[in-house]
Amino acid sequence: MILGKHASIAGGIDKSLKRAAEIGCNSVQIFVKNPRGWKARVLSDAEVERFKINRKKYNINPVVVHAAYLINLASPKQELWEKSISALKMELSRSARLGAEYLIFHPGSHTGSGIDSGIKRIAEALNIIFSEIDDSLTEKTKILLENTAGAGSSIGQDFSELKAIIDKVEQSEKLGICIDSCHAFAAKYNLQQKSGLNKLLSDLDDDIGLSMLKVIHLNDSKHNCCENKDEHAHIGEGKIGENGFKELINHPKLKDLPFILETPWFEDEVDQDVILLEKLRY
Ligand SMILES: [Zn+2]
Ligand SMILES: [Zn+2]
């Protein structure tokens, strides 16, 4: 099983790899800058080199980057939209420098301008990014759109919305999809049951194609199915429950994909999610 955890980059980006390996992971997700601000400190060559050395040492594959939460490519506000484009470009170049395979971002919120307008904005932003950056960056790092829980005016709770974005992007081969189990459950798929998982997979295949799916975020949900509320819970402690995750991680169409846990334990605690998932895997 390819199992990763979102790991802290405190003390240097290279430190995240040891943190993931120590709890029994062979993949990792990281931020490449403070996720709640626009500014980023300079990434030195030495830090990038240490990251690459540690990655080999701990045998971590793939490396997944999660983009900052402030980025909103769907925004109707020109200033925020332009800032978001620059920020995602910067994250892409940092991800590629580190050799990360994937950079995941949330499609964004239209904040009142409407879903269609938001979708157009996102696609336009991606077209600008792909036309401005060097192809060598996207050869290293694929950009993944993450499905959302559908809270507020967020775009991407429905696969048809993600498909509409992809269709409008000229170099769409540079894109892929990340599915978050909590978001899918909050949006509309009852992942407690195998039937809910199969419905998700058939919808995804019909709308976008399963081959676009590259990463799965494994989060249980504090809220019930279809409530559009995005609050993660530890595996088995939420409304999806152990059985739902057993079906998910062993599904023949998913079992070879990287699964990434995003719910943190305190640093000195044993990671119960990793232990439980190893038990549920057959
Ligand atoms: Zn996310
Ligand atoms: Zn979430």
Side-chain angles (χ1 to χ4, degrees), residues 155-168:
I155 292 168
Q157 64 165 315
D158 207 300
F159 297 142
S160 64
E161 294 168 13
L162 299 177
K163 151 118 177 120
I165 298 166
I166 294 167
D167 280 350
K168 288 181 173 58

Side-chain angles (χ1 to χ4, degrees), residues 14 17-18 21 48-61 63 98:
D14 54 296
L17 299 160
K18 184 165 182 249
V48 172
E49 201 44 43
R50 280 200 301 277
F51 184 86
K52 289 182 176 169
I53 289 167
N54 269 358
R55 184 177 175 176
K56 264 199 200 121
K57 180 172 162 192
Y58 296 110
N59 204 9
I60 303 286
N61 286 297
V63 167
L98 292 166

Side-chain angles (χ1 to χ4, degrees), residues 66 106 146 183 217 262:
H66 199 297
H106 298 174
E146 181 173 350
H183 300 176
H217 280 164
E262 289 186 308

Side-chain angles (χ1 to χ4, degrees), residues 238-270:
K239 303 286 185 187
I240 298 176
E242 262 184 51
N243 198 51
F245 285 97
K246 191 175 180 181
E247 297 294 347
L248 208 161
I249 63 169
N250 292 298
H251 196 287
K253 289 182 177 161
L254 303 177
K255 66 183 193 17
D256 297 327
L257 289 171
F259 297 109
I260 306 280
L261 293 158
E262 289 186 308
T263 312
W265 295 90
F266 288 110
E267 198 139 334
D268 53 350
E269 283 180 321
V270 178

